[in-house]
Amino acid sequence: MRMYDLIMKKRNGGVLSREEIDYMVAAYTAGKIPDYQMSAMMMAIYFRGMDPEETAALTMAMARSGDMMDLSAIEGVKVDKHSTGGVGDKTSIALTPMVAACGVKIAKMSGRGLGHTGGTIDKLESFAGFTTEISAGHFIRQVNEIGVSIMGQTADIAPADKKLYALRDVTATVDNMSLIASSIMSKKLASGADAIVLDVKTGSGAFMKSEQDAFALAREMVTLGNTAGKKTVAVVSDMDQPLGRAVGNALEVKEAVAALRGEGPEDFAKLCRTLGTYMLIVGGAAGDEEEAERKLDRVIADGSALRKLAAFVEAQGGDANAVYDTSLLPQADIVEDVGSLTEGYVAHIDCDEIGICSLLLGGGRETKESAIDLSVGLVLHKKVGDHVKAGETLATLHANDRARLEAAKERFLRAWHFSDTATAPQTLIKGVVSV
Ligand code: URA
């Protein structure tokens, strides 16, 4: 087989066979196909697309390009959760202990943040000493003992995707539905859980800007998961404004802890409850939505979800005292309110821009090697639909550097759009895809 022929076939609108895709992925992973040929293939796929069989073949070829985790030593149904990423998305930190406290085993692999969206691992490292660099043995033991563990994604999980994603990132070929679906699902399938709940974001802070595209991506991933024998459900949720109020690592952890005390912002609490409901159902701990919601409410009310977070943090070397006293989390030196320049109703917040403000404050990575400041970020006081008077506080910014603060403030103010009339409230949960 020659890569040249495969590129030409796809460029001309042809359909690649499973054998051709297997060859291409294996040879690229082994360094036998150069980046320039694979870039041409990604661009051909970008314009010509892939049909469901090609997408499934690419997913499985990437999943099998490295280790397939064997979690059979964990008793019961193992559930994984994945978000397509967004601003202020601290869901995993509150949701995984909630679900584990209801008796469902959570074995999850996570990544770090790059660019303006944060990663769960970075956020969790706000607990001093916390590590996700644990062995597979530790991971399995911990899930058996306390019901939840989050491990950093190892280089051996879907290495083909790692290489391809880095290439797509610099060749403007990320935002293709089949490529995103196969990239995410290859890692999920290689991570070994029995069931997967996906949070597919839509809006100005998401890959999928339109709801229609988000539902199509959700359907594609659910089909890939179910075809591979994993019970898969996707929730399509709003990312047209930041989730909750906090953006920035330690600030988001603080908000996740508040949610576990039943004091979190309404939208964030609702998303955790919705995703948690489907995690309990696919994990076999609830027969229907009503039963799942009852169980989730109970573990918040009786404190067992909060205690589960403390046990999880401690099991991975972190300071669990900070779960009960969040003043022990990293704190920034400068805390300053930003007032609105205009009066009106908040009509829209450029979600990506708010993420970039946190990045400018030092809370995100510009490159993979960048160090991040866990203490900085912002807390919104207003969200879409709220009325604001001129001078009223839109957000509180947390910074450690005055120049960075000023740069972030300027950008922050440009992200807000007002109208004279009240806009309809945004729907957080757009729908659920399960077949
Ligand atoms: N996240 C991934 O892991 N892959 C993509 O292609 C897009 C988002």
Side-chain angles (χ1 to χ4, degrees):
M1 241 178 259
R2 288 197 322 146
M3 186 61 177
Y4 179 91
D5 299 330
L6 304 189
I7 297 169
M8 190 147 75
K9 184 174 183 185
K10 185 44 81 183
R11 188 201 70 182
N12 293 342
V15 174
L16 299 174
S17 69
R18 178 174 300 276
E19 291 70 33
E20 287 168 336
I21 290 173
D22 283 348
Y23 158 76
M24 177 176 92
V25 171
Y28 182 61
T29 312
K32 292 181 187 149
I33 291 174
D35 281 347
Y36 54 81
Q37 281 193 310
M38 193 50 113
S39 307
M41 175 59 90
M42 290 296 111
M43 194 56 86
I45 291 174
Y46 183 88
F47 283 113
R48 291 295 191 172
M50 288 200 299
D51 71 16
E53 283 74 34
E54 288 176 291
T55 308
L58 180 60
T59 306
M60 292 318 296
M62 293 200 296
R64 292 189 183 118
S65 65
D67 291 346
M68 299 288 276
M69 283 276 280
D70 177 7
L71 300 183
S72 56
I74 300 173
E75 300 136 33
V77 182
K78 281 79 67 181
V79 180
D80 195 353
K81 173 256 167 194
H82 183 84
S83 155
T84 57
V87 179
D89 188 3
K90 71 285 293 175
T91 311
S92 292
I93 299 162
L95 178 62
T96 53
M98 274 167 73
V99 172
C102 294
V104 171
K105 300 271 171 63
I106 308 293
K108 175 169 166 50
M109 282 203 179
S110 273
R112 291 187 184 276
L114 183 63
H116 70 278
T117 61
T120 300
I121 293 183
D122 296 319
K123 292 171 197 179
L124 282 167
E125 284 176 354
S126 301
F127 292 106
F130 187 93
T131 182
T132 52
E133 284 176 27
I134 54 175
S135 66
H138 179 148
F139 182 66
I140 289 169
R141 212 168 35 251
Q142 187 179 320
V143 179
N144 269 331
E145 281 169 9
I146 65 166
V148 53
S149 182
I150 297 183
M151 181 180 176
Q153 198 158 305
T154 68
D156 303 327
I157 294 291
D161 172 66
K162 196 167 188 208
K163 211 171 159 193
L164 257 182
Y165 189 76
L167 189 71
R168 287 166 56 216
D169 207 22
V170 292
T171 55
T173 50
V174 169
D175 51 340
N176 169 275
M177 197 95 66
S178 297
L179 293 177
I180 295 178
S182 56
S183 165
I184 292 175
M185 292 309 287
S186 67
K187 288 175 284 213
K188 294 288 111 183
L189 298 181
S191 303
D194 306 305
I196 304 160
V197 173
L198 301 162
D199 181 12
V200 179
K201 305 288 194 188
T202 179
S204 64
F207 277 119
M208 295 295 134
K209 306 289 178 206
S210 80
E211 266 184 52
Q212 199 186 353
D213 285 349
F215 274 99
L217 177 64
R219 279 193 295 273
E220 190 129 24
M221 291 199 288
V222 166
T223 305
L224 287 170
N226 286 330
T227 307
K230 316 275 182 189
K231 220 182 243 181
T232 308
V233 176
V235 172
V236 177
S237 74
D238 181 66
M239 188 38 72
D240 207 39
Q241 62 177 333
L243 180 66
R245 296 191 177 266
V247 181
N249 298 285
L251 294 168
E252 290 188 40
V253 168
K254 199 171 164 188
E255 191 164 86
V257 169
L260 289 175
R261 292 184 183 281
E263 296 157 4
E266 206 183 310
D267 60 343
F268 175 45
K270 179 162 185 193
L271 183 63
C272 289
R273 207 159 175 259
T274 307
L275 291 167
T277 293
Y278 294 103
M279 289 171 84
L280 293 200
I281 292 174
V282 298
D288 57 28
E289 277 93 344
E290 221 173 280
E291 186 188 355
E293 284 173 6
R294 231 183 7 254
K295 287 192 170 179
L296 291 163
D297 290 345
R298 193 166 59 225
V299 294
I300 299 284
D302 69 11
S304 53
L306 191 71
R307 287 194 296 279
K308 188 62 80 179
L309 175 65
F312 160 48
V313 168
E314 192 170 337
Q316 295 191 212
D319 177 13
N321 293 322
V323 171
Y324 301 107
D325 176 5
T326 52
S327 71
L328 297 173
L329 293 168
Q331 312 266 350
D333 291 337
I334 312 169
V335 177
E336 216 167 274
D337 288 345
V338 184
S340 177
L341 303 177
T342 345
E343 167 154 6
Y345 291 92
V346 181
H348 180 67
I349 305 170
D350 294 331
C351 197
D352 281 356
E353 288 294 308
I354 300 295
I356 291 169
C357 289
S358 175
L359 185 83
L360 290 176
L361 290 166
R365 271 188 198 83
E366 306 269 1
T367 69
K368 273 190 200 148
E369 288 71 36
S370 312
I372 59 173
D373 185 342
L374 295 168
S375 68
V376 300
L378 49 100
V379 179
L380 302 177
H381 292 226
K382 300 285 179 185
K383 301 228 356 190
V384 171
D386 289 344
H387 185 263
V388 186
K389 292 195 193 104
E392 206 179 345
T393 302
L394 291 175
T396 303
L397 267 55
H398 296 242
N400 283 317
D401 179 299
R402 196 129 295 274
R404 280 179 177 271
L405 175 68
E406 293 309 322
K409 231 192 234 177
E410 198 189 317
R411 192 129 184 183
F412 174 83
L413 284 168
R414 275 191 273 137
W416 292 71
H417 305 275
F418 298 91
S419 87
D420 294 336
T421 48
T423 42
Q426 272 162 306
T427 321
L428 177 72
I429 308 297
K430 310 286 186 189
V432 179
V433 177
S434 59
V435 278

Short mmCIF file of all heavy atoms in Angstrom, two decimals, residues 386-429:
data_model
loop_
_atom_site.label_atom_id
_atom_site.label_comp_id
_atom_site.label_asym_id
_atom_site.label_seq_id
_atom_site.Cartn_x
_atom_site.Cartn_y
_atom_site.Cartn_z
N ASP A 386 -28.90 38.79 33.09
CA ASP A 386 -28.90 39.65 34.29
C ASP A 386 -28.91 41.12 33.88
O ASP A 386 -28.31 41.50 32.86
CB ASP A 386 -27.64 39.40 35.14
CG ASP A 386 -27.69 38.05 35.83
OD1 ASP A 386 -28.79 37.46 35.90
OD2 ASP A 386 -26.63 37.59 36.29
N HIS A 387 -29.51 41.95 34.73
CA HIS A 387 -29.45 43.40 34.51
C HIS A 387 -28.23 43.95 35.25
O HIS A 387 -27.90 43.51 36.34
CB HIS A 387 -30.73 44.08 35.01
CG HIS A 387 -30.73 45.54 34.69
ND1 HIS A 387 -30.34 46.51 35.59
CD2 HIS A 387 -31.03 46.19 33.53
CE1 HIS A 387 -30.42 47.70 35.00
NE2 HIS A 387 -30.83 47.53 33.75
N VAL A 388 -27.56 44.91 34.61
CA VAL A 388 -26.33 45.50 35.19
C VAL A 388 -26.44 47.02 35.11
O VAL A 388 -26.81 47.57 34.07
CB VAL A 388 -25.08 45.08 34.38
CG1 VAL A 388 -23.81 45.56 35.06
CG2 VAL A 388 -25.04 43.59 34.14
N LYS A 389 -26.09 47.69 36.23
CA LYS A 389 -26.01 49.16 36.20
C LYS A 389 -24.58 49.54 35.87
O LYS A 389 -23.64 48.76 36.14
CB LYS A 389 -26.36 49.71 37.58
CG LYS A 389 -27.80 49.50 37.97
CD LYS A 389 -28.12 50.42 39.17
CE LYS A 389 -29.43 50.02 39.80
NZ LYS A 389 -29.30 49.29 41.04
N ALA A 390 -24.37 50.74 35.32
CA ALA A 390 -23.01 51.18 35.03
C ALA A 390 -22.22 51.22 36.35
O ALA A 390 -22.74 51.71 37.36
CB ALA A 390 -23.03 52.56 34.38
N GLY A 391 -21.04 50.67 36.32
CA GLY A 391 -20.20 50.66 37.52
C GLY A 391 -20.40 49.42 38.38
O GLY A 391 -19.58 49.10 39.24
N GLU A 392 -21.49 48.70 38.15
CA GLU A 392 -21.74 47.50 38.95
C GLU A 392 -20.73 46.40 38.59
O GLU A 392 -20.31 46.29 37.43
CB GLU A 392 -23.17 47.01 38.67
CG GLU A 392 -23.75 46.22 39.82
CD GLU A 392 -25.18 45.77 39.54
OE1 GLU A 392 -25.82 46.28 38.60
OE2 GLU A 392 -25.65 44.88 40.26
N THR A 393 -20.37 45.59 39.57
CA THR A 393 -19.32 44.59 39.35
C THR A 393 -19.78 43.47 38.41
O THR A 393 -20.81 42.83 38.64
CB THR A 393 -18.89 43.96 40.71
OG1 THR A 393 -18.45 45.03 41.55
CG2 THR A 393 -17.78 42.95 40.53
N LEU A 394 -18.97 43.25 37.37
CA LEU A 394 -19.24 42.13 36.45
C LEU A 394 -18.51 40.88 36.94
O LEU A 394 -19.00 39.76 36.80
CB LEU A 394 -18.75 42.47 35.04
CG LEU A 394 -19.51 43.55 34.27
CD1 LEU A 394 -18.82 43.83 32.95
CD2 LEU A 394 -20.96 43.11 34.03
N ALA A 395 -17.31 41.09 37.47
CA ALA A 395 -16.52 39.94 37.93
C ALA A 395 -15.44 40.41 38.89
O ALA A 395 -15.06 41.59 38.90
CB ALA A 395 -15.85 39.24 36.75
N THR A 396 -14.92 39.46 39.67
CA THR A 396 -13.75 39.72 40.50
C THR A 396 -12.57 38.98 39.88
O THR A 396 -12.67 37.77 39.61
CB THR A 396 -13.99 39.21 41.95
OG1 THR A 396 -15.17 39.85 42.45
CG2 THR A 396 -12.81 39.54 42.85
N LEU A 397 -11.51 39.71 39.61
CA LEU A 397 -10.31 39.10 39.01
C LEU A 397 -9.28 38.80 40.10
O LEU A 397 -9.10 39.61 41.02
CB LEU A 397 -9.70 40.05 37.95
CG LEU A 397 -10.20 39.81 36.50
CD1 LEU A 397 -11.69 39.88 36.40
CD2 LEU A 397 -9.57 40.79 35.53
N HIS A 398 -8.65 37.64 39.99
CA HIS A 398 -7.62 37.23 40.96
C HIS A 398 -6.31 37.13 40.19
O HIS A 398 -6.21 36.39 39.22
CB HIS A 398 -7.97 35.86 41.55
CG HIS A 398 -9.23 35.86 42.37
ND1 HIS A 398 -9.25 35.56 43.72
CD2 HIS A 398 -10.52 36.14 42.04
CE1 HIS A 398 -10.49 35.66 44.17
NE2 HIS A 398 -11.28 35.99 43.17
N ALA A 399 -5.31 37.91 40.63
CA ALA A 399 -4.04 37.99 39.87
C ALA A 399 -2.84 38.04 40.81
O ALA A 399 -2.99 38.33 42.01
CB ALA A 399 -4.06 39.23 38.99
N ASN A 400 -1.68 37.80 40.25
CA ASN A 400 -0.45 37.96 41.03
C ASN A 400 0.49 38.95 40.36
O ASN A 400 1.64 39.07 40.78
CB ASN A 400 0.26 36.59 41.17
CG ASN A 400 -0.43 35.74 42.22
OD1 ASN A 400 -0.78 36.22 43.30
ND2 ASN A 400 -0.65 34.47 41.91
N ASP A 401 0.03 39.61 39.31
CA ASP A 401 0.90 40.48 38.53
C ASP A 401 0.02 41.61 37.97
O ASP A 401 -0.96 41.34 37.28
CB ASP A 401 1.51 39.64 37.41
CG ASP A 401 2.43 40.43 36.51
OD1 ASP A 401 1.95 41.40 35.86
OD2 ASP A 401 3.61 40.08 36.43
N ARG A 402 0.39 42.85 38.29
CA ARG A 402 -0.45 43.99 37.91
C ARG A 402 -0.56 44.15 36.39
O ARG A 402 -1.64 44.43 35.87
CB ARG A 402 0.11 45.25 38.59
CG ARG A 402 -0.79 46.34 38.60
CD ARG A 402 -1.18 47.16 39.80
NE ARG A 402 -1.90 46.62 40.92
CZ ARG A 402 -3.22 46.53 41.02
NH1 ARG A 402 -4.00 46.85 40.01
NH2 ARG A 402 -3.79 46.10 42.10
N ALA A 403 0.54 43.95 35.66
CA ALA A 403 0.51 44.12 34.20
C ALA A 403 -0.42 43.08 33.58
O ALA A 403 -1.22 43.38 32.68
CB ALA A 403 1.91 43.99 33.63
N ARG A 404 -0.34 41.86 34.06
CA ARG A 404 -1.23 40.80 33.56
C ARG A 404 -2.68 41.14 33.88
O ARG A 404 -3.58 40.92 33.07
CB ARG A 404 -0.87 39.46 34.21
CG ARG A 404 0.33 38.76 33.59
CD ARG A 404 0.59 37.45 34.33
NE ARG A 404 1.67 36.69 33.76
CZ ARG A 404 1.53 35.78 32.80
NH1 ARG A 404 0.35 35.53 32.29
NH2 ARG A 404 2.57 35.12 32.34
N LEU A 405 -2.89 41.68 35.07
CA LEU A 405 -4.25 42.04 35.49
C LEU A 405 -4.84 43.08 34.54
O LEU A 405 -5.98 42.94 34.08
CB LEU A 405 -4.25 42.57 36.93
CG LEU A 405 -5.59 43.10 37.44
CD1 LEU A 405 -6.59 41.97 37.62
CD2 LEU A 405 -5.43 43.83 38.78
N GLU A 406 -4.03 44.10 34.22
CA GLU A 406 -4.53 45.17 33.34
C GLU A 406 -4.86 44.63 31.95
O GLU A 406 -5.88 44.97 31.36
CB GLU A 406 -3.51 46.33 33.25
CG GLU A 406 -3.32 47.10 34.56
CD GLU A 406 -4.64 47.57 35.21
OE1 GLU A 406 -5.55 47.98 34.48
OE2 GLU A 406 -4.75 47.50 36.46
N ALA A 407 -3.99 43.76 31.42
CA ALA A 407 -4.22 43.17 30.09
C ALA A 407 -5.50 42.33 30.09
O ALA A 407 -6.33 42.39 29.16
CB ALA A 407 -3.03 42.31 29.68
N ALA A 408 -5.69 41.57 31.16
CA ALA A 408 -6.87 40.70 31.25
C ALA A 408 -8.14 41.54 31.38
O ALA A 408 -9.17 41.24 30.77
CB ALA A 408 -6.74 39.75 32.44
N LYS A 409 -8.06 42.63 32.15
CA LYS A 409 -9.22 43.50 32.40
C LYS A 409 -9.74 44.09 31.09
O LYS A 409 -10.94 44.08 30.81
CB LYS A 409 -8.77 44.64 33.30
CG LYS A 409 -9.63 44.85 34.51
CD LYS A 409 -9.25 46.16 35.13
CE LYS A 409 -8.88 46.05 36.57
NZ LYS A 409 -8.45 47.29 37.17
N GLU A 410 -8.80 44.56 30.29
CA GLU A 410 -9.17 45.20 29.02
C GLU A 410 -9.89 44.19 28.11
O GLU A 410 -10.95 44.45 27.56
CB GLU A 410 -7.88 45.69 28.36
CG GLU A 410 -8.13 46.72 27.29
CD GLU A 410 -6.86 47.00 26.53
OE1 GLU A 410 -5.79 47.13 27.15
OE2 GLU A 410 -6.95 47.04 25.27
N ARG A 411 -9.30 43.01 28.01
CA ARG A 411 -9.88 41.96 27.17
C ARG A 411 -11.24 41.51 27.72
O ARG A 411 -12.18 41.24 26.99
CB ARG A 411 -8.90 40.78 27.15
CG ARG A 411 -9.24 39.78 26.12
CD ARG A 411 -8.07 39.45 25.27
NE ARG A 411 -8.48 38.54 24.23
CZ ARG A 411 -7.65 38.03 23.36
NH1 ARG A 411 -6.38 38.36 23.38
NH2 ARG A 411 -8.09 37.21 22.44
N PHE A 412 -11.30 41.44 29.07
CA PHE A 412 -12.52 41.00 29.75
C PHE A 412 -13.70 41.91 29.38
O PHE A 412 -14.77 41.43 29.02
CB PHE A 412 -12.27 41.02 31.26
CG PHE A 412 -13.48 40.73 32.09
CD1 PHE A 412 -13.89 39.42 32.32
CD2 PHE A 412 -14.25 41.76 32.62
CE1 PHE A 412 -15.03 39.14 33.06
CE2 PHE A 412 -15.39 41.50 33.36
CZ PHE A 412 -15.77 40.19 33.59
N LEU A 413 -13.47 43.20 29.45
CA LEU A 413 -14.57 44.15 29.20
C LEU A 413 -15.09 44.06 27.76
O LEU A 413 -16.27 44.26 27.51
CB LEU A 413 -14.12 45.57 29.54
CG LEU A 413 -14.06 45.84 31.05
CD1 LEU A 413 -13.33 47.15 31.34
CD2 LEU A 413 -15.46 45.85 31.67
N ARG A 414 -14.18 43.72 26.85
CA ARG A 414 -14.59 43.61 25.44
C ARG A 414 -15.43 42.36 25.17
O ARG A 414 -16.06 42.23 24.12
CB ARG A 414 -13.36 43.63 24.53
CG ARG A 414 -12.93 45.08 24.22
CD ARG A 414 -11.89 45.12 23.14
NE ARG A 414 -10.56 44.96 23.71
CZ ARG A 414 -9.60 44.21 23.23
NH1 ARG A 414 -9.77 43.51 22.16
NH2 ARG A 414 -8.43 44.14 23.83
N ALA A 415 -15.44 41.42 26.12
CA ALA A 415 -16.17 40.16 25.91
C ALA A 415 -17.66 40.27 26.22
O ALA A 415 -18.42 39.33 25.98
CB ALA A 415 -15.55 39.06 26.78
N TRP A 416 -18.08 41.42 26.78
CA TRP A 416 -19.47 41.56 27.23
C TRP A 416 -20.31 42.34 26.24
O TRP A 416 -19.88 43.37 25.73
CB TRP A 416 -19.50 42.25 28.60
CG TRP A 416 -18.91 41.38 29.66
CD1 TRP A 416 -17.59 41.07 29.80
CD2 TRP A 416 -19.60 40.67 30.69
NE1 TRP A 416 -17.41 40.21 30.85
CE2 TRP A 416 -18.63 39.95 31.42
CE3 TRP A 416 -20.93 40.56 31.07
CZ2 TRP A 416 -18.96 39.14 32.50
CZ3 TRP A 416 -21.27 39.76 32.15
CH2 TRP A 416 -20.29 39.05 32.85
N HIS A 417 -21.52 41.87 25.99
CA HIS A 417 -22.43 42.53 25.06
C HIS A 417 -23.78 42.73 25.78
O HIS A 417 -24.27 41.80 26.41
CB HIS A 417 -22.61 41.70 23.80
CG HIS A 417 -21.27 41.38 23.16
ND1 HIS A 417 -20.63 42.23 22.31
CD2 HIS A 417 -20.45 40.32 23.33
CE1 HIS A 417 -19.47 41.70 21.94
NE2 HIS A 417 -19.34 40.54 22.56
N PHE A 418 -24.30 43.96 25.63
CA PHE A 418 -25.52 44.32 26.38
C PHE A 418 -26.67 44.66 25.44
O PHE A 418 -26.44 45.03 24.29
CB PHE A 418 -25.22 45.52 27.28
CG PHE A 418 -24.16 45.23 28.31
CD1 PHE A 418 -22.81 45.47 28.04
CD2 PHE A 418 -24.49 44.68 29.54
CE1 PHE A 418 -21.82 45.17 28.98
CE2 PHE A 418 -23.51 44.39 30.49
CZ PHE A 418 -22.17 44.64 30.19
N SER A 419 -27.88 44.55 25.96
CA SER A 419 -29.03 45.03 25.19
C SER A 419 -29.96 45.78 26.14
O SER A 419 -29.85 45.64 27.36
CB SER A 419 -29.74 43.87 24.50
OG SER A 419 -30.70 43.32 25.36
N ASP A 420 -30.86 46.57 25.56
CA ASP A 420 -31.76 47.36 26.39
C ASP A 420 -32.92 46.53 26.93
O ASP A 420 -33.59 46.92 27.86
CB ASP A 420 -32.36 48.52 25.56
CG ASP A 420 -31.26 49.50 25.18
OD1 ASP A 420 -30.25 49.54 25.89
OD2 ASP A 420 -31.44 50.21 24.16
N THR A 421 -33.14 45.40 26.27
CA THR A 421 -34.27 44.57 26.71
C THR A 421 -33.75 43.22 27.22
O THR A 421 -32.67 42.77 26.81
CB THR A 421 -35.21 44.30 25.52
OG1 THR A 421 -34.41 43.86 24.41
CG2 THR A 421 -35.98 45.54 25.12
N ALA A 422 -34.53 42.62 28.07
CA ALA A 422 -34.12 41.33 28.66
C ALA A 422 -34.12 40.25 27.59
O ALA A 422 -35.04 40.19 26.77
CB ALA A 422 -35.08 40.96 29.79
N THR A 423 -33.08 39.41 27.58
CA THR A 423 -33.04 38.30 26.61
C THR A 423 -33.57 37.04 27.30
O THR A 423 -33.53 36.94 28.52
CB THR A 423 -31.59 38.03 26.16
OG1 THR A 423 -30.75 38.11 27.31
CG2 THR A 423 -31.12 39.00 25.11
N ALA A 424 -34.05 36.12 26.49
CA ALA A 424 -34.58 34.87 27.06
C ALA A 424 -33.44 34.10 27.71
O ALA A 424 -32.33 34.10 27.19
CB ALA A 424 -35.20 34.04 25.94
N PRO A 425 -33.70 33.48 28.86
CA PRO A 425 -32.62 32.72 29.51
C PRO A 425 -32.14 31.56 28.63
O PRO A 425 -32.93 30.99 27.86
CB PRO A 425 -33.28 32.19 30.79
CG PRO A 425 -34.74 32.41 30.64
CD PRO A 425 -34.96 33.41 29.56
N GLN A 426 -30.84 31.26 28.71
CA GLN A 426 -30.31 30.18 27.87
C GLN A 426 -30.66 28.82 28.49
O GLN A 426 -30.65 28.67 29.71
CB GLN A 426 -28.78 30.32 27.76
CG GLN A 426 -28.40 31.21 26.60
CD GLN A 426 -26.99 31.71 26.71
OE1 GLN A 426 -26.60 32.30 27.72
NE2 GLN A 426 -26.22 31.51 25.68
N THR A 427 -30.96 27.85 27.64
CA THR A 427 -31.22 26.50 28.15
C THR A 427 -29.90 25.81 28.35
O THR A 427 -29.08 25.75 27.43
CB THR A 427 -32.03 25.69 27.11
OG1 THR A 427 -32.98 26.56 26.53
CG2 THR A 427 -32.70 24.48 27.70
N LEU A 428 -29.69 25.28 29.54
CA LEU A 428 -28.40 24.63 29.83
C LEU A 428 -28.31 23.25 29.17
O LEU A 428 -27.32 22.92 28.52
CB LEU A 428 -28.20 24.51 31.34
CG LEU A 428 -26.94 23.79 31.76
CD1 LEU A 428 -25.71 24.65 31.50
CD2 LEU A 428 -26.99 23.39 33.23
N ILE A 429 -29.35 22.44 29.38
CA ILE A 429 -29.32 21.08 28.82
C ILE A 429 -30.10 21.10 27.50
O ILE A 429 -31.31 21.28 27.49
CB ILE A 429 -29.94 20.05 29.80
CG1 ILE A 429 -29.29 20.17 31.21
CG2 ILE A 429 -29.83 18.63 29.25
CD1 ILE A 429 -27.82 19.86 31.28
#
